[in-house]
Amino acid sequence: MCGIVAYIGSKKAQELLLEGLKRLEYRGYDSAGIATLSKSNSTTGDVASLKVVKAVGRVANLEDKLEDMGGLNGSVGLCHTRWATHGGVTEFNAHPHTDDRFGIALVHNGIIENYAALKTYLESKGHVFKSQTDTEVLAMLIGELYSPAEGIDLEAAVQAALREVTGAYAICVICEKEPDVLVVARKGSPLSVGVGNGEFIVASDPSAIVSHTSQAFHLDDYNVVKITRQGFKTSTIHNVAVTPKVVQLELDLEEIELGTFSHFMQKEIFEQPKALKNTFRGRINVQDSKVVLGGVSNFDRDLVKARRIILTGQGTALHAARIGRYLFEDLAKVTSHDEYASEFRYRNPIIEENSIVIAVSQSGETADTLAGLREAKDRGALSLGVINVVGSTISRETDAGVYLRVGPEIGVASTKAFVGQVAVLTLLSIYLGRKRFMSSEHCRELLTGLEQIPDKIQQVLEYDDLIKKVTAKYIEKENWLFLGRGYNYPTALEGALKLKEISYIHAEGMPAAEMKHGPIALITEGMPAVFIANKGPQYEKVISNIQEVRARGGHIIAVATEGDEHIKRYAEDVLYVPDVPECLSPMVTVIPLQLMAYHAAVLRGHDVDKPRNLAKSVTVE
Ligand code: G6P
């Protein structure tokens, strides 16, 4: 989604800001903009002037524009990548937005919900708006309240404006009249301040900070920070002093650079064995038949009493949640449901006593998932998070949780986070199962299998060339089916989603048995149908479903268990995965599907890491 970077220090702001903005490109956006304050000498002393440049499309377009005009001077500035919500993709709607009186510029992530009422008020005061955005309303409101003569400086004006606002925001603000000040604030949308030597770099995502400093603090909701080159002062919007905790950013620069790979998605697919080893480190004790999960152990008594588990998320995270549902029923014997958080939130859900809600999210910032979580908490559920980004909003709002530990995921199409989510849900269900009915033998068997998953994934990755060749055979096809049963029905959904997201090929995922109840009408000669047909309790049933597709001319690509020669009779192409216990199989069967989607997108010439219309983290409902 939208990205923010701001800087105050002694260096030329433009370069730092653009470098940071490029690191945030992965989040998805459709326009970009920058503003700096540059000082010039006049007879009356130093005068600062605000310069704003915006461009539709990529950050590269903004760079071209800046180059044509000779660049921006100044060592204070801010910039933004916008993912359109209020108003179309135009330069007028791109950030930074300005007020019409004092040379105030503002960038904003989030949504000002009461912007219409505020706009009417501001128009009655004579302000004229240039854009259709909610953000411009906030810039104008700060300008309207700004009154240095009455002691209302930029910091106070920002505080006052934010007291009038409902909605979510991460904002950075500068003003011509206070050229050595940067004011930033947050509610509901992440913002961090990197603390350097005489300089500060603020960003909505720490990946834009780490190349400058590893010391940073994360703003809490309703925090406002006034930053100068000498230091910073933090307060609430009601001007109550706050002491932020400066922490070491746990982010390695190498983790957010491409290295020898062509795309982040490719890097992250190949990183999965290593990422999963990290997920498992210190958590699996085969000898004692034990799962160690420090993040939830304080709630053991509630977990044992659980009568219902509701797993929520969106997109890929929901697919992992659906696998989680099968795991919890199968291994922990607790009634479980999975549901889109966006639906759960608004359908007046029934939360009985001893219910647990598990929010699954890579970013920990997805607005729908956060809203669903809050609803469940309000209704008395114990809330757990299965989250990747440490310190994210959802991870802070849940009662307890287990981090994925798969490292930063930059590729918009989620891959290693999916496998990490399934792995953590497996750990959690074994943890819970063991405390309820699971024998130590069964537990040991599962943990032994689980520990081997990273190596099994590695084996699938070795087939990359073959997977690419098979994908190339069908690259002209515009409609694909992905079918699976049991644990691998959600894997089929994930395979279809991956293909859609980055190759823009229409794909449907569904339970293999459901196909004959309608979707079978879609099957035409040569249509690719990917079947997850690994050896498992429903293998024979899947073979029957394969035959139904074949009989109508569909071409079968089967994901099958190594050594299964029989399947070759039914499939045009077979992609083998190693034999693993059925309940652990999605972590290996999804790998060929991820690689197929990746190769399809590359073969079709798409920008894999910046798919059209998508955002890495969707912070609007
Ligand atoms: C967006 C992304 C998806 C992702 C979903 C949930 O829609 O494009 O790839 O699966 O959000 O994200 P989360 O961060 O909550 O896992």
Side-chain angles (χ1 to χ4, degrees):
M1 281 233 78
C2 308
I4 288 178
V5 188
Y7 176 78
I8 180 164
S10 53
K11 298 184 189 130
K12 195 173 172 193
Q14 179 186 308
E15 278 148 33
L16 269 113
L17 293 175
L18 289 175
E19 185 222 308
L21 216 50
K22 282 188 205 151
R23 292 206 186 271
L24 301 190
E25 279 193 288
Y26 77 94
R27 299 179 66 90
Y29 67 100
D30 39 47
S31 51
I34 183 169
T36 65
L37 289 171
S38 57
K39 285 189 196 168
S40 55
N41 284 325
S42 81
T43 42
T44 51
D46 272 0
V47 186
S49 71
L50 176 76
K51 293 260 160 33
V52 181
V53 182
K54 307 181 191 188
V56 165
R58 295 278 182 242
V59 173
N61 300 353
L62 180 66
E63 277 183 307
D64 290 347
K65 242 178 146 174
L66 285 162
E67 207 181 307
D68 290 349
M69 57 182 284
L72 295 181
N73 290 323
S75 52
V76 178
L78 35 81
C79 61
H80 190 263
T81 44
R82 172 176 187 252
W83 190 77
T85 55
H86 291 67
V89 182
T90 65
E91 267 184 37
F92 277 125
N93 288 338
H95 301 209
H97 286 282
T98 52
D99 80 320
D100 51 0
R101 290 180 189 166
F102 298 106
I104 291 170
L106 173 145
V107 289
H108 166 222
N109 286 358
I111 284 187
I112 306 301
E113 283 164 7
N114 59 338
Y115 81 101
L118 291 171
K119 193 169 183 176
T120 309
Y121 162 75
L122 289 163
E123 278 169 342
S124 76
K125 292 275 186 179
H127 295 277
V128 180
F129 289 84
K130 289 182 283 203
S131 81
Q132 300 145 308
T133 65
D134 52 330
T135 302
E136 190 184 13
V137 172
L138 187 53
M140 291 284 190
L141 182 61
I142 294 169
E144 171 65 25
L145 298 169
Y146 186 67
S147 177
E150 294 170 90
I152 305 175
D153 62 4
L154 187 63
E155 179 196 21
V158 168
Q159 288 169 331
L162 294 179
R163 290 197 292 270
E164 302 303 322
V165 153
T166 52
Y169 53 79
I171 57 167
C172 294
V173 196
I174 52 177
C175 173
E176 260 178 13
K177 308 276 173 221
E178 298 182 36
D180 300 303
V181 173
L182 167 66
V183 177
V184 308
R186 162 203 162 124
K187 190 212 150 196
S189 197
L191 200 63
S192 306
V193 178
V195 182
N197 194 2
E199 61 178 5
F200 298 86
I201 182 144
V202 183
S204 52
D205 183 325
S207 59
I209 296 176
V210 277
S211 59
H212 302 283
T213 174
S214 57
Q215 299 290 302
F217 63 92
H218 309 295
L219 270 70
D220 281 326
D221 279 353
Y222 303 109
N223 280 181
V224 177
V225 191
K226 176 181 180 175
I227 309 172
T228 64
R229 291 180 185 84
Q230 289 71 43
F232 58 87
K233 172 182 160 252
T234 310
S235 58
T236 66
I237 58 169
H238 297 286
N239 202 26
V240 177
V242 174
T243 312
K245 204 169 128 210
V246 177
V247 293
Q248 179 84 15
L249 289 177
E250 301 279 332
L251 194 60
D252 197 343
L253 204 51
E254 208 178 278
E255 289 183 305
I256 54 170
E257 312 237 282
L258 260 183
T260 55
F261 290 95
S262 306
H263 300 95
F264 281 104
M265 181 185 181
Q266 185 193 31
K267 178 180 181 238
E268 286 154 10
I269 292 174
F270 280 88
E271 219 161 61
Q272 290 179 109
K274 187 173 138 217
L276 266 203
K277 281 187 187 155
N278 231 2
T279 306
F280 293 150
R281 199 175 346 101
R283 290 170 168 171
I284 296 179
N285 178 343
V286 180
Q287 211 179 351
D288 299 338
S289 296
K290 217 172 148 186
V291 173
V292 183
L293 296 176
V296 294
S297 56
N298 283 345
F299 291 87
D300 279 356
R301 290 178 64 165
D302 303 271
L303 292 174
V304 172
K305 282 192 291 185
R307 289 182 51 195
R308 184 186 295 267
I309 295 177
I310 301 157
L311 298 113
T312 67
Q314 299 290 144
T316 288
L318 196 270
H319 298 156
R322 191 155 295 174
I323 294 170
R325 171 205 179 166
Y326 281 66
L327 287 163
F328 280 109
E329 297 214 331
D330 191 6
L331 307 181
K333 310 284 179 239
V334 185
T335 308
S336 303
H337 302 280
D338 65 86
E339 193 168 347
Y340 289 106
S342 53
E343 290 300 311
F344 172 77
R345 193 233 160 138
Y346 286 110
R347 70 170 175 80
N348 201 8
I350 297 168
I351 305 273
E352 295 154 312
E353 222 183 318
N354 298 324
S355 292
I356 299 177
V357 166
I358 303 182
V360 184
S361 170
Q362 187 285 128
S363 61
E365 302 293 345
T366 302
D368 287 318
T369 311
L370 180 59
L373 168 79
R374 287 179 176 157
E375 185 68 29
K377 279 182 72 175
D378 279 354
R379 292 173 183 231
L382 174 72
S383 63
L384 303 185
V386 172
I387 309 291
N388 194 34
V389 178
V390 176
S392 54
T393 308
I394 297 179
S395 72
R396 288 192 285 172
E397 292 203 13
T398 41
D399 295 308
V402 183
Y403 281 119
L404 308 185
R405 295 198 203 141
V406 295
E409 191 179 66
I410 310 281
V412 172
S414 185
T415 52
K416 64 175 179 175
F418 173 78
V419 170
Q421 285 156 353
V422 175
V424 165
L425 291 166
T426 311
L427 286 171
L428 258 173
S429 55
I430 300 174
Y431 182 83
L432 187 49
R434 185 73 188 104
K435 295 198 183 305
R436 291 162 66 92
F437 312 103
M438 189 185 286
S439 68
S440 74
E441 225 155 281
H442 187 199
C443 179
R444 192 170 303 128
E445 210 176 285
L446 287 169
L447 293 181
T448 306
L450 200 53
E451 253 191 341
Q452 290 171 5
I453 294 293
D455 293 338
K456 306 275 181 186
I457 292 177
Q458 188 58 46
Q459 289 174 36
V460 188
L461 293 172
E462 311 290 325
Y463 290 128
D464 185 38
D465 283 344
L466 171 72
I467 296 168
K468 184 176 173 185
K469 249 185 238 156
V470 170
T471 312
K473 267 172 78 174
Y474 302 98
I475 198 64
E476 303 299 335
K477 302 289 180 188
E478 291 300 337
N479 294 294
W480 291 50
L481 283 178
F482 286 78
L483 302 146
R485 297 177 80 121
Y487 276 106
N488 281 303
Y489 141 56
T491 318
L493 297 182
E494 179 59 8
L497 179 64
K498 285 289 87 77
L499 193 67
K500 279 185 261 206
E501 282 180 316
I502 51 169
S503 70
Y504 318 142
I505 294 170
H506 174 244
E508 297 265 355
M510 70 194 76
E514 175 63 13
M515 182 204 46
K516 60 184 171 298
H517 297 291
I520 199 164
L522 295 172
I523 295 168
T524 50
E525 189 63 38
M527 179 182 190
V530 181
F531 272 88
I532 302 160
N534 57 318
K535 285 271 188 212
Q538 301 201 56
Y539 177 74
E540 293 302 337
K541 302 266 178 220
V542 174
I543 296 290
S544 307
N545 299 140
I546 286 179
Q547 283 176 331
E548 288 155 13
V549 175
R550 264 176 84 81
R552 287 158 184 88
H555 282 186
I556 311 297
I557 303 159
V559 174
T561 306
E562 203 82 65
D564 178 2
E565 292 296 319
H566 175 73
I567 192 96
K568 287 186 175 161
R569 278 194 234 162
Y570 309 100
E572 269 72 21
D573 295 282
V574 182
L575 304 175
Y576 283 114
V577 295
D579 195 10
V580 300
E582 175 69 1
C583 66
L584 309 181
S585 65
M587 286 179 277
V588 295
T589 54
V590 77
I591 308 296
L593 310 187
Q594 294 172 342
L595 284 168
M596 282 181 96
Y598 172 73
H599 289 304
V602 174
L603 287 164
R604 285 189 164 218
H606 299 313
D607 192 345
V608 175
D609 289 329
K610 299 184 197 86
R612 74 176 177 217
N613 303 340
L614 295 189
K616 180 68 186 153
S617 160
V618 180
T619 49
V620 291
E621 269 188 66

